[in-house]
Amino acid sequence: MKISLIVNGERTDAEVPPRLHLGDFLREHLGLTGTHLGCEHGVCGACTVRIDGSLARACLILAVQADGTRVETIEGLSDSGEIADLAQAFHERNALQCGYCTPGMLIAAQDLLLRDPAPDREAIRDHLSGNYCRCTGYHAIVDAVATTAAGRRGNRA
Amino acid sequence: MKAPPFDYQRAASLDDASTLLARHGEDARLIAGGQSLLPALNLRLAAPRLLIDIGRIEGLDRIEVSGDSVRIGALARHQAVLDNPAIARHVPLLTEALRHVAHPAIRARGTIGGNLAHADPASELPACMLALSATVEATSGRGTRSIDAETFFTGLFSTALAPDEILTAVTIPLPAPPGAFHEIARRRGDYAIVGLATAGTRYAFFSVGDRPVLARHAAAAGSDIAAAKAALARDLDPPDDLQATGAMRLHLAGVLLERTMGKA
């Protein structure tokens, strides 16, 4: 089936089979391999992307369902500079080891920071509860998100 | 894993969806948010020949409050209902329950109608609808009918919907009795080991059987907490699974009942 969507600001037209999910479309058809696939049934959060501004699991939406939408991946959020401070905070706080969960974790964390500029640690854990990390034990991730939130509040003051 | 092959058609209207569903019957599945169906497809637990996408039908996502009821369109997404101030004011039980439904990314896409039609016995919303005495609206080429939540959920992932019917809305009568929501899960957003949605003395437990269960004997015990807890054993017969034994579930159900009654 023919689909047409905006991926990271660029119009993309493609012919896809109905069963292809968006994660495979991004990775295999567009070469955007920053969107990782873990469980492929919506549990691990590694494939988290933004669709029309909202968080979504790329493994739980068919490419044909994404027709006409605006999709943003970790490549888009990185290139635009939107999450530069968040990525830097992850780096400085050692909030990743293998890095498999990191793209999804960054996108989910950015979603929280856009909704709530001053989340407490419980709110951060709550919002990231759908993103598995098997390396860090989450503590450093929560630190990095809290640091970023504080930094953004400081910049605004 | 990857989903098996299927055809896909996007319905332009409710009539269009009804026609497609009537034509293809049990070979077809409706898809809206897809947050329960996609996992089932990817795990190959479902293998429909055709997916009928109702996700873009106009007007099916409205949330309307009238004098004596709240009507939530089937395509209203979990996050939209969670963020809706009228829902928070009139049916705070639902707002509280939605905070426990999966994770932000799932809530952003999953729909209320899809959740109810999927009829997962571990899901929060069917129990809420049972507690709130809600009615489900089912539409087909033959017309529209209302189904009480008590008769809508007929078993494991099973509902009273006929093969050609589409769940189009759920209606909650107002004023909703004072309620409370509690669940015990290993991690925020996970399926509950046991959960309880309460509206007045309608105690609707979930994750305790093949469908949400109204604890009538416990309710009949009145305000006596010990008697109500003792009566739960006549209402619930929870199964064993990997998360918990039935006996543990029954114990935890009593704990949740005590929390609910203690607050009231």
Side-chain angles (χ1 to χ4, degrees), chain A residues 1 18-19 24 40 55 59-62 64-65 67 126-127 129-130 132, chain B residues 1-3 6 8 10 32 35 39 42 44 56 103 105 108-109 187-188:
Chain A
M1 293 188 69
R19 71 172 182 145
D24 274 337
E40 292 192 280
L55 285 186
C59 74
L60 294 191
I61 176 167
L62 299 168
V64 288
Q65 287 180 288
D67 178 38
D126 192 10
H127 207 79
S129 65
Y132 276 1
Chain B
M1 274 169 65
K2 310 297 179 189
F6 45 76
Y8 171 91
R10 190 181 296 153
Q35 301 302 286
N42 288 352
R44 302 211 170 191
R56 297 200 191 181
H103 308 287
R109 295 208 68 78
R187 187 182 61 138
R188 188 71 158 184

PDB file of all heavy atoms in Angstrom, chain A residues 1 18-19 24 40 55 59-62 64-65 67 126-127 129-130 132, chain B residues 1-3 6 8 10 32 35 39 42 44 56 103 105 108-109 187-188:
ATOM      1  N   MET A   1       0.843  -1.193   0.000  1.00  0.00           N
ATOM      2  CA  MET A   1       0.000   0.000   0.000  1.00  0.00           C
ATOM      3  C   MET A   1       0.877   1.241   0.000  1.00  0.00           C
ATOM      4  O   MET A   1       1.953   1.247   0.572  1.00  0.00           O
ATOM      5  CB  MET A   1      -0.874   0.013   1.270  1.00  0.00           C
ATOM      6  CG  MET A   1      -1.903  -1.089   1.305  1.00  0.00           C
ATOM      7  SD  MET A   1      -3.032  -0.857   2.703  1.00  0.00           S
ATOM      8  CE  MET A   1      -3.928   0.595   2.187  1.00  0.00           C
ATOM      9  N   PRO A  18       0.891  -4.226   4.414  1.00  0.00           N
ATOM     10  CA  PRO A  18       0.111  -3.813   5.590  1.00  0.00           C
ATOM     11  C   PRO A  18       0.694  -4.300   6.914  1.00  0.00           C
ATOM     12  O   PRO A  18       0.562  -3.627   7.932  1.00  0.00           O
ATOM     13  CB  PRO A  18      -1.263  -4.448   5.345  1.00  0.00           C
ATOM     14  CG  PRO A  18      -1.362  -4.590   3.876  1.00  0.00           C
ATOM     15  CD  PRO A  18       0.035  -4.862   3.394  1.00  0.00           C
ATOM     16  N   ARG A  19       1.335  -5.452   6.920  1.00  0.00           N
ATOM     17  CA  ARG A  19       1.777  -5.993   8.217  1.00  0.00           C
ATOM     18  C   ARG A  19       3.062  -5.346   8.736  1.00  0.00           C
ATOM     19  O   ARG A  19       3.486  -5.633   9.857  1.00  0.00           O
ATOM     20  CB  ARG A  19       1.968  -7.499   8.121  1.00  0.00           C
ATOM     21  CG  ARG A  19       3.164  -7.922   7.299  1.00  0.00           C
ATOM     22  CD  ARG A  19       3.367  -9.420   7.445  1.00  0.00           C
ATOM     23  NE  ARG A  19       4.522  -9.892   6.711  1.00  0.00           N
ATOM     24  CZ  ARG A  19       5.297 -10.883   7.142  1.00  0.00           C
ATOM     25  NH1 ARG A  19       5.037 -11.481   8.274  1.00  0.00           N
ATOM     26  NH2 ARG A  19       6.319 -11.271   6.426  1.00  0.00           N
ATOM     27  N   ASP A  24       9.959  -1.219  11.920  1.00  0.00           N
ATOM     28  CA  ASP A  24      10.667  -1.848  10.799  1.00  0.00           C
ATOM     29  C   ASP A  24      10.741  -0.913   9.595  1.00  0.00           C
ATOM     30  O   ASP A  24      11.739  -0.896   8.876  1.00  0.00           O
ATOM     31  CB  ASP A  24       9.979  -3.158  10.393  1.00  0.00           C
ATOM     32  CG  ASP A  24      10.469  -4.344  11.225  1.00  0.00           C
ATOM     33  OD1 ASP A  24      11.584  -4.259  11.774  1.00  0.00           O
ATOM     34  OD2 ASP A  24       9.742  -5.343  11.317  1.00  0.00           O
ATOM     35  N   GLU A  40       9.067  -5.986  20.668  1.00  0.00           N
ATOM     36  CA  GLU A  40       8.059  -5.938  19.605  1.00  0.00           C
ATOM     37  C   GLU A  40       6.660  -6.300  20.074  1.00  0.00           C
ATOM     38  O   GLU A  40       5.840  -6.760  19.290  1.00  0.00           O
ATOM     39  CB  GLU A  40       8.452  -6.799  18.410  1.00  0.00           C
ATOM     40  CG  GLU A  40       9.663  -6.236  17.691  1.00  0.00           C
ATOM     41  CD  GLU A  40       9.911  -6.892  16.349  1.00  0.00           C
ATOM     42  OE1 GLU A  40      10.475  -7.990  16.343  1.00  0.00           O
ATOM     43  OE2 GLU A  40       9.512  -6.310  15.318  1.00  0.00           O
ATOM     44  N   LEU A  55       3.947  10.646  22.340  1.00  0.00           N
ATOM     45  CA  LEU A  55       4.748   9.428  22.417  1.00  0.00           C
ATOM     46  C   LEU A  55       4.014   8.270  21.758  1.00  0.00           C
ATOM     47  O   LEU A  55       2.794   8.165  21.840  1.00  0.00           O
ATOM     48  CB  LEU A  55       4.986   9.033  23.881  1.00  0.00           C
ATOM     49  CG  LEU A  55       5.998   9.812  24.703  1.00  0.00           C
ATOM     50  CD1 LEU A  55       6.144   9.134  26.062  1.00  0.00           C
ATOM     51  CD2 LEU A  55       7.338   9.890  23.995  1.00  0.00           C
ATOM     52  N   CYS A  59       6.621  -0.145  17.399  1.00  0.00           N
ATOM     53  CA  CYS A  59       6.278  -1.549  17.120  1.00  0.00           C
ATOM     54  C   CYS A  59       4.784  -1.794  17.218  1.00  0.00           C
ATOM     55  O   CYS A  59       4.300  -2.858  16.844  1.00  0.00           O
ATOM     56  CB  CYS A  59       7.020  -2.498  18.068  1.00  0.00           C
ATOM     57  SG  CYS A  59       6.383  -2.526  19.764  1.00  0.00           S
ATOM     58  N   LEU A  60       4.040  -0.821  17.771  1.00  0.00           N
ATOM     59  CA  LEU A  60       2.600  -1.006  17.974  1.00  0.00           C
ATOM     60  C   LEU A  60       1.771  -0.125  17.046  1.00  0.00           C
ATOM     61  O   LEU A  60       0.617   0.173  17.322  1.00  0.00           O
ATOM     62  CB  LEU A  60       2.204  -0.731  19.435  1.00  0.00           C
ATOM     63  CG  LEU A  60       2.741  -1.687  20.491  1.00  0.00           C
ATOM     64  CD1 LEU A  60       2.048  -1.446  21.824  1.00  0.00           C
ATOM     65  CD2 LEU A  60       2.555  -3.147  20.076  1.00  0.00           C
ATOM     66  N   ILE A  61       2.381   0.321  15.979  1.00  0.00           N
ATOM     67  CA  ILE A  61       1.603   1.036  14.961  1.00  0.00           C
ATOM     68  C   ILE A  61       2.089   0.557  13.607  1.00  0.00           C
ATOM     69  O   ILE A  61       3.299   0.442  13.368  1.00  0.00           O
ATOM     70  CB  ILE A  61       1.703   2.571  15.120  1.00  0.00           C
ATOM     71  CG1 ILE A  61       0.958   3.278  13.987  1.00  0.00           C
ATOM     72  CG2 ILE A  61       3.127   3.057  15.213  1.00  0.00           C
ATOM     73  CD1 ILE A  61       0.737   4.757  14.206  1.00  0.00           C
ATOM     74  N   LEU A  62       1.151   0.232  12.754  1.00  0.00           N
ATOM     75  CA  LEU A  62       1.511  -0.214  11.402  1.00  0.00           C
ATOM     76  C   LEU A  62       1.950   0.992  10.591  1.00  0.00           C
ATOM     77  O   LEU A  62       1.439   2.102  10.784  1.00  0.00           O
ATOM     78  CB  LEU A  62       0.309  -0.879  10.733  1.00  0.00           C
ATOM     79  CG  LEU A  62      -0.234  -2.127  11.439  1.00  0.00           C
ATOM     80  CD1 LEU A  62      -1.584  -2.527  10.855  1.00  0.00           C
ATOM     81  CD2 LEU A  62       0.765  -3.276  11.337  1.00  0.00           C
ATOM     82  N   VAL A  64       1.135   1.569   7.672  1.00  0.00           N
ATOM     83  CA  VAL A  64      -0.046   2.088   6.958  1.00  0.00           C
ATOM     84  C   VAL A  64      -0.900   2.975   7.862  1.00  0.00           C
ATOM     85  O   VAL A  64      -1.568   3.894   7.389  1.00  0.00           O
ATOM     86  CB  VAL A  64      -0.925   0.963   6.362  1.00  0.00           C
ATOM     87  CG1 VAL A  64      -0.226   0.321   5.173  1.00  0.00           C
ATOM     88  CG2 VAL A  64      -1.287  -0.089   7.393  1.00  0.00           C
ATOM     89  N   GLN A  65      -0.882   2.714   9.172  1.00  0.00           N
ATOM     90  CA  GLN A  65      -1.627   3.577  10.098  1.00  0.00           C
ATOM     91  C   GLN A  65      -0.936   4.932  10.267  1.00  0.00           C
ATOM     92  O   GLN A  65      -1.580   5.897  10.677  1.00  0.00           O
ATOM     93  CB  GLN A  65      -1.729   2.929  11.479  1.00  0.00           C
ATOM     94  CG  GLN A  65      -2.673   1.750  11.581  1.00  0.00           C
ATOM     95  CD  GLN A  65      -2.658   1.215  13.009  1.00  0.00           C
ATOM     96  OE1 GLN A  65      -1.693   0.615  13.441  1.00  0.00           O
ATOM     97  NE2 GLN A  65      -3.732   1.447  13.732  1.00  0.00           N
ATOM     98  N   ASP A  67       0.314   6.629   7.920  1.00  0.00           N
ATOM     99  CA  ASP A  67       0.096   7.428   6.709  1.00  0.00           C
ATOM    100  C   ASP A  67      -0.497   8.790   7.094  1.00  0.00           C
ATOM    101  O   ASP A  67      -1.465   8.852   7.848  1.00  0.00           O
ATOM    102  CB  ASP A  67      -0.879   6.664   5.792  1.00  0.00           C
ATOM    103  CG  ASP A  67      -1.204   7.438   4.527  1.00  0.00           C
ATOM    104  OD1 ASP A  67      -0.292   8.088   3.976  1.00  0.00           O
ATOM    105  OD2 ASP A  67      -2.374   7.383   4.098  1.00  0.00           O
ATOM    106  N   ASP A 126       7.760   7.459  37.131  1.00  0.00           N
ATOM    107  CA  ASP A 126       6.445   7.110  36.619  1.00  0.00           C
ATOM    108  C   ASP A 126       6.412   7.247  35.099  1.00  0.00           C
ATOM    109  O   ASP A 126       5.974   6.354  34.378  1.00  0.00           O
ATOM    110  CB  ASP A 126       5.410   8.046  37.275  1.00  0.00           C
ATOM    111  CG  ASP A 126       3.996   7.581  37.049  1.00  0.00           C
ATOM    112  OD1 ASP A 126       3.821   6.458  36.550  1.00  0.00           O
ATOM    113  OD2 ASP A 126       3.062   8.335  37.361  1.00  0.00           O
ATOM    114  N   HIS A 127       6.927   8.361  34.606  1.00  0.00           N
ATOM    115  CA  HIS A 127       6.850   8.608  33.163  1.00  0.00           C
ATOM    116  C   HIS A 127       7.764   7.669  32.371  1.00  0.00           C
ATOM    117  O   HIS A 127       7.487   7.370  31.205  1.00  0.00           O
ATOM    118  CB  HIS A 127       7.214  10.068  32.863  1.00  0.00           C
ATOM    119  CG  HIS A 127       6.574  10.570  31.596  1.00  0.00           C
ATOM    120  ND1 HIS A 127       5.269  10.966  31.534  1.00  0.00           N
ATOM    121  CD2 HIS A 127       7.058  10.703  30.337  1.00  0.00           C
ATOM    122  CE1 HIS A 127       4.971  11.344  30.294  1.00  0.00           C
ATOM    123  NE2 HIS A 127       6.046  11.188  29.548  1.00  0.00           N
ATOM    124  N   SER A 129       8.349   4.605  33.288  1.00  0.00           N
ATOM    125  CA  SER A 129       8.085   3.224  33.720  1.00  0.00           C
ATOM    126  C   SER A 129       7.901   2.266  32.544  1.00  0.00           C
ATOM    127  O   SER A 129       8.065   1.064  32.695  1.00  0.00           O
ATOM    128  CB  SER A 129       6.834   3.185  34.617  1.00  0.00           C
ATOM    129  OG  SER A 129       5.683   3.568  33.875  1.00  0.00           O
ATOM    130  N   GLY A 130       7.576   2.788  31.388  1.00  0.00           N
ATOM    131  CA  GLY A 130       7.397   1.931  30.222  1.00  0.00           C
ATOM    132  C   GLY A 130       8.661   1.763  29.392  1.00  0.00           C
ATOM    133  O   GLY A 130       8.599   1.272  28.269  1.00  0.00           O
ATOM    134  N   TYR A 132      12.349   0.031  29.547  1.00  0.00           N
ATOM    135  CA  TYR A 132      13.260  -0.852  30.279  1.00  0.00           C
ATOM    136  C   TYR A 132      14.715  -0.448  30.058  1.00  0.00           C
ATOM    137  O   TYR A 132      15.121  -0.168  28.930  1.00  0.00           O
ATOM    138  CB  TYR A 132      13.122  -2.294  29.762  1.00  0.00           C
ATOM    139  CG  TYR A 132      12.004  -3.095  30.376  1.00  0.00           C
ATOM    140  CD1 TYR A 132      11.139  -2.567  31.324  1.00  0.00           C
ATOM    141  CD2 TYR A 132      11.822  -4.422  29.997  1.00  0.00           C
ATOM    142  CE1 TYR A 132      10.131  -3.325  31.870  1.00  0.00           C
ATOM    143  CE2 TYR A 132      10.801  -5.195  30.541  1.00  0.00           C
ATOM    144  CZ  TYR A 132       9.963  -4.640  31.474  1.00  0.00           C
ATOM    145  OH  TYR A 132       8.957  -5.400  32.009  1.00  0.00           O
TER     146      TYR A 132
ATOM    147  N   MET B   1       8.705 -10.781  17.390  1.00  0.00           N
ATOM    148  CA  MET B   1       8.201 -11.459  16.187  1.00  0.00           C
ATOM    149  C   MET B   1       7.456 -10.481  15.288  1.00  0.00           C
ATOM    150  O   MET B   1       7.162  -9.372  15.670  1.00  0.00           O
ATOM    151  CB  MET B   1       7.250 -12.594  16.597  1.00  0.00           C
ATOM    152  CG  MET B   1       7.971 -13.888  16.897  1.00  0.00           C
ATOM    153  SD  MET B   1       6.902 -15.114  17.676  1.00  0.00           S
ATOM    154  CE  MET B   1       5.709 -15.425  16.373  1.00  0.00           C
ATOM    155  N   LYS B   2       7.175 -10.935  14.078  1.00  0.00           N
ATOM    156  CA  LYS B   2       6.462 -10.081  13.119  1.00  0.00           C
ATOM    157  C   LYS B   2       5.050 -10.617  12.911  1.00  0.00           C
ATOM    158  O   LYS B   2       4.822 -11.826  12.959  1.00  0.00           O
ATOM    159  CB  LYS B   2       7.195 -10.085  11.770  1.00  0.00           C
ATOM    160  CG  LYS B   2       8.696  -9.813  11.853  1.00  0.00           C
ATOM    161  CD  LYS B   2       9.021  -8.435  12.385  1.00  0.00           C
ATOM    162  CE  LYS B   2      10.543  -8.252  12.455  1.00  0.00           C
ATOM    163  NZ  LYS B   2      10.901  -7.007  13.158  1.00  0.00           N
ATOM    164  N   ALA B   3       4.140  -9.708  12.625  1.00  0.00           N
ATOM    165  CA  ALA B   3       2.748 -10.082  12.398  1.00  0.00           C
ATOM    166  C   ALA B   3       2.625 -10.940  11.135  1.00  0.00           C
ATOM    167  O   ALA B   3       3.396 -10.778  10.193  1.00  0.00           O
ATOM    168  CB  ALA B   3       1.904  -8.824  12.256  1.00  0.00           C
ATOM    169  N   PHE B   6      -1.778  -9.789   6.350  1.00  0.00           N
ATOM    170  CA  PHE B   6      -3.220  -9.528   6.328  1.00  0.00           C
ATOM    171  C   PHE B   6      -3.456  -8.378   5.367  1.00  0.00           C
ATOM    172  O   PHE B   6      -2.530  -7.666   4.995  1.00  0.00           O
ATOM    173  CB  PHE B   6      -3.743  -9.166   7.733  1.00  0.00           C
ATOM    174  CG  PHE B   6      -2.889  -8.180   8.478  1.00  0.00           C
ATOM    175  CD1 PHE B   6      -2.914  -6.824   8.163  1.00  0.00           C
ATOM    176  CD2 PHE B   6      -2.025  -8.611   9.490  1.00  0.00           C
ATOM    177  CE1 PHE B   6      -2.108  -5.919   8.850  1.00  0.00           C
ATOM    178  CE2 PHE B   6      -1.209  -7.701  10.170  1.00  0.00           C
ATOM    179  CZ  PHE B   6      -1.258  -6.358   9.843  1.00  0.00           C
ATOM    180  N   TYR B   8      -5.562  -4.746   4.609  1.00  0.00           N
ATOM    181  CA  TYR B   8      -5.861  -3.577   5.449  1.00  0.00           C
ATOM    182  C   TYR B   8      -6.762  -2.628   4.683  1.00  0.00           C
ATOM    183  O   TYR B   8      -6.486  -2.333   3.520  1.00  0.00           O
ATOM    184  CB  TYR B   8      -4.547  -2.886   5.805  1.00  0.00           C
ATOM    185  CG  TYR B   8      -4.665  -1.538   6.483  1.00  0.00           C
ATOM    186  CD1 TYR B   8      -4.705  -1.430   7.863  1.00  0.00           C
ATOM    187  CD2 TYR B   8      -4.697  -0.356   5.728  1.00  0.00           C
ATOM    188  CE1 TYR B   8      -4.797  -0.180   8.493  1.00  0.00           C
ATOM    189  CE2 TYR B   8      -4.787   0.887   6.338  1.00  0.00           C
ATOM    190  CZ  TYR B   8      -4.831   0.968   7.722  1.00  0.00           C
ATOM    191  OH  TYR B   8      -4.905   2.194   8.330  1.00  0.00           O
ATOM    192  N   ARG B  10      -8.940   1.112   5.361  1.00  0.00           N
ATOM    193  CA  ARG B  10      -9.287   2.193   6.275  1.00  0.00           C
ATOM    194  C   ARG B  10     -10.730   2.606   6.018  1.00  0.00           C
ATOM    195  O   ARG B  10     -11.071   2.991   4.895  1.00  0.00           O
ATOM    196  CB  ARG B  10      -8.346   3.380   6.070  1.00  0.00           C
ATOM    197  CG  ARG B  10      -8.515   4.430   7.166  1.00  0.00           C
ATOM    198  CD  ARG B  10      -7.596   5.609   6.924  1.00  0.00           C
ATOM    199  NE  ARG B  10      -6.198   5.223   6.991  1.00  0.00           N
ATOM    200  CZ  ARG B  10      -5.235   5.855   6.340  1.00  0.00           C
ATOM    201  NH1 ARG B  10      -5.499   6.873   5.566  1.00  0.00           N
ATOM    202  NH2 ARG B  10      -3.991   5.445   6.463  1.00  0.00           N
ATOM    203  N   ALA B  32      -8.205   0.188  15.998  1.00  0.00           N
ATOM    204  CA  ALA B  32      -8.316   1.638  16.244  1.00  0.00           C
ATOM    205  C   ALA B  32      -6.935   2.103  16.702  1.00  0.00           C
ATOM    206  O   ALA B  32      -6.050   2.333  15.894  1.00  0.00           O
ATOM    207  CB  ALA B  32      -9.398   1.917  17.266  1.00  0.00           C
ATOM    208  N   GLN B  35      -3.273  -0.824  20.382  1.00  0.00           N
ATOM    209  CA  GLN B  35      -2.291  -1.079  21.441  1.00  0.00           C
ATOM    210  C   GLN B  35      -2.456  -2.443  22.113  1.00  0.00           C
ATOM    211  O   GLN B  35      -1.563  -2.892  22.841  1.00  0.00           O
ATOM    212  CB  GLN B  35      -2.328   0.049  22.475  1.00  0.00           C
ATOM    213  CG  GLN B  35      -2.024   1.411  21.880  1.00  0.00           C
ATOM    214  CD  GLN B  35      -0.663   1.460  21.207  1.00  0.00           C
ATOM    215  OE1 GLN B  35       0.361   1.481  21.875  1.00  0.00           O
ATOM    216  NE2 GLN B  35      -0.636   1.453  19.888  1.00  0.00           N
ATOM    217  N   PRO B  39       0.212  -6.078  19.650  1.00  0.00           N
ATOM    218  CA  PRO B  39       0.969  -7.125  20.356  1.00  0.00           C
ATOM    219  C   PRO B  39       0.456  -8.528  20.010  1.00  0.00           C
ATOM    220  O   PRO B  39       1.253  -9.449  19.790  1.00  0.00           O
ATOM    221  CB  PRO B  39       0.723  -6.807  21.845  1.00  0.00           C
ATOM    222  CG  PRO B  39       0.397  -5.357  21.878  1.00  0.00           C
ATOM    223  CD  PRO B  39      -0.308  -5.063  20.577  1.00  0.00           C
ATOM    224  N   ASN B  42       1.726  -9.331  16.563  1.00  0.00           N
ATOM    225  CA  ASN B  42       3.175  -9.571  16.545  1.00  0.00           C
ATOM    226  C   ASN B  42       3.540 -10.894  17.214  1.00  0.00           C
ATOM    227  O   ASN B  42       4.528 -11.528  16.854  1.00  0.00           O
ATOM    228  CB  ASN B  42       3.915  -8.417  17.223  1.00  0.00           C
ATOM    229  CG  ASN B  42       3.909  -7.140  16.389  1.00  0.00           C
ATOM    230  OD1 ASN B  42       3.489  -7.145  15.238  1.00  0.00           O
ATOM    231  ND2 ASN B  42       4.359  -6.043  16.969  1.00  0.00           N
ATOM    232  N   ARG B  44       1.588 -13.382  17.124  1.00  0.00           N
ATOM    233  CA  ARG B  44       0.825 -14.353  16.322  1.00  0.00           C
ATOM    234  C   ARG B  44      -0.235 -15.078  17.136  1.00  0.00           C
ATOM    235  O   ARG B  44      -0.526 -16.261  16.916  1.00  0.00           O
ATOM    236  CB  ARG B  44       1.769 -15.328  15.602  1.00  0.00           C
ATOM    237  CG  ARG B  44       2.740 -14.572  14.711  1.00  0.00           C
ATOM    238  CD  ARG B  44       3.160 -15.321  13.496  1.00  0.00           C
ATOM    239  NE  ARG B  44       3.901 -14.429  12.593  1.00  0.00           N
ATOM    240  CZ  ARG B  44       4.226 -14.732  11.354  1.00  0.00           C
ATOM    241  NH1 ARG B  44       3.887 -15.892  10.854  1.00  0.00           N
ATOM    242  NH2 ARG B  44       4.885 -13.880  10.615  1.00  0.00           N
ATOM    243  N   ARG B  56      -9.775   6.557  12.114  1.00  0.00           N
ATOM    244  CA  ARG B  56      -9.889   7.944  11.634  1.00  0.00           C
ATOM    245  C   ARG B  56     -11.320   8.358  11.342  1.00  0.00           C
ATOM    246  O   ARG B  56     -11.549   9.378  10.685  1.00  0.00           O
ATOM    247  CB  ARG B  56      -9.038   8.113  10.380  1.00  0.00           C
ATOM    248  CG  ARG B  56      -7.584   7.882  10.694  1.00  0.00           C
ATOM    249  CD  ARG B  56      -6.676   8.485   9.674  1.00  0.00           C
ATOM    250  NE  ARG B  56      -5.325   8.002   9.917  1.00  0.00           N
ATOM    251  CZ  ARG B  56      -4.289   8.352   9.206  1.00  0.00           C
ATOM    252  NH1 ARG B  56      -4.436   9.166   8.191  1.00  0.00           N
ATOM    253  NH2 ARG B  56      -3.097   7.872   9.501  1.00  0.00           N
ATOM    254  N   HIS B 103       1.438   2.691  30.047  1.00  0.00           N
ATOM    255  CA  HIS B 103       2.467   3.728  30.120  1.00  0.00           C
ATOM    256  C   HIS B 103       2.081   4.884  29.193  1.00  0.00           C
ATOM    257  O   HIS B 103       1.224   4.719  28.333  1.00  0.00           O
ATOM    258  CB  HIS B 103       3.814   3.127  29.712  1.00  0.00           C
ATOM    259  CG  HIS B 103       4.138   1.886  30.463  1.00  0.00           C
ATOM    260  ND1 HIS B 103       4.521   1.895  31.787  1.00  0.00           N
ATOM    261  CD2 HIS B 103       4.074   0.581  30.107  1.00  0.00           C
ATOM    262  CE1 HIS B 103       4.713   0.659  32.203  1.00  0.00           C
ATOM    263  NE2 HIS B 103       4.446  -0.167  31.210  1.00  0.00           N
ATOM    264  N   ALA B 105       3.213   6.226  26.490  1.00  0.00           N
ATOM    265  CA  ALA B 105       3.193   6.000  25.041  1.00  0.00           C
ATOM    266  C   ALA B 105       1.982   5.163  24.614  1.00  0.00           C
ATOM    267  O   ALA B 105       1.435   5.343  23.523  1.00  0.00           O
ATOM    268  CB  ALA B 105       4.484   5.316  24.589  1.00  0.00           C
ATOM    269  N   ALA B 108      -1.264   7.286  24.961  1.00  0.00           N
ATOM    270  CA  ALA B 108      -1.385   8.305  23.921  1.00  0.00           C
ATOM    271  C   ALA B 108      -2.091   7.760  22.680  1.00  0.00           C
ATOM    272  O   ALA B 108      -2.653   8.517  21.896  1.00  0.00           O
ATOM    273  CB  ALA B 108      -0.013   8.848  23.536  1.00  0.00           C
ATOM    274  N   ARG B 109      -2.073   6.458  22.482  1.00  0.00           N
ATOM    275  CA  ARG B 109      -2.672   5.883  21.264  1.00  0.00           C
ATOM    276  C   ARG B 109      -3.883   5.002  21.532  1.00  0.00           C
ATOM    277  O   ARG B 109      -4.797   4.926  20.720  1.00  0.00           O
ATOM    278  CB  ARG B 109      -1.632   5.065  20.491  1.00  0.00           C
ATOM    279  CG  ARG B 109      -0.500   5.893  19.943  1.00  0.00           C
ATOM    280  CD  ARG B 109       0.104   5.295  18.697  1.00  0.00           C
ATOM    281  NE  ARG B 109      -0.800   5.328  17.569  1.00  0.00           N
ATOM    282  CZ  ARG B 109      -1.042   6.411  16.836  1.00  0.00           C
ATOM    283  NH1 ARG B 109      -0.442   7.544  17.114  1.00  0.00           N
ATOM    284  NH2 ARG B 109      -1.882   6.363  15.826  1.00  0.00           N
ATOM    285  N   ARG B 187       4.949  -3.162  39.131  1.00  0.00           N
ATOM    286  CA  ARG B 187       5.616  -1.973  38.611  1.00  0.00           C
ATOM    287  C   ARG B 187       4.540  -1.063  38.053  1.00  0.00           C
ATOM    288  O   ARG B 187       3.524  -1.541  37.537  1.00  0.00           O
ATOM    289  CB  ARG B 187       6.563  -2.412  37.479  1.00  0.00           C
ATOM    290  CG  ARG B 187       7.462  -1.346  36.916  1.00  0.00           C
ATOM    291  CD  ARG B 187       8.286  -1.931  35.776  1.00  0.00           C
ATOM    292  NE  ARG B 187       7.419  -2.396  34.698  1.00  0.00           N
ATOM    293  CZ  ARG B 187       7.664  -2.215  33.389  1.00  0.00           C
ATOM    294  NH1 ARG B 187       8.754  -1.626  33.001  1.00  0.00           N
ATOM    295  NH2 ARG B 187       6.824  -2.651  32.480  1.00  0.00           N
ATOM    296  N   ARG B 188       4.710   0.249  38.174  1.00  0.00           N
ATOM    297  CA  ARG B 188       3.750   1.185  37.615  1.00  0.00           C
ATOM    298  C   ARG B 188       3.466   0.830  36.148  1.00  0.00           C
ATOM    299  O   ARG B 188       4.389   0.677  35.364  1.00  0.00           O
ATOM    300  CB  ARG B 188       4.338   2.587  37.688  1.00  0.00           C
ATOM    301  CG  ARG B 188       3.372   3.681  37.303  1.00  0.00           C
ATOM    302  CD  ARG B 188       2.314   3.845  38.369  1.00  0.00           C
ATOM    303  NE  ARG B 188       1.717   5.177  38.301  1.00  0.00           N
ATOM    304  CZ  ARG B 188       0.810   5.618  39.160  1.00  0.00           C
ATOM    305  NH1 ARG B 188       0.400   4.853  40.147  1.00  0.00           N
ATOM    306  NH2 ARG B 188       0.329   6.823  39.041  1.00  0.00           N
TER     307      ARG B 188
END
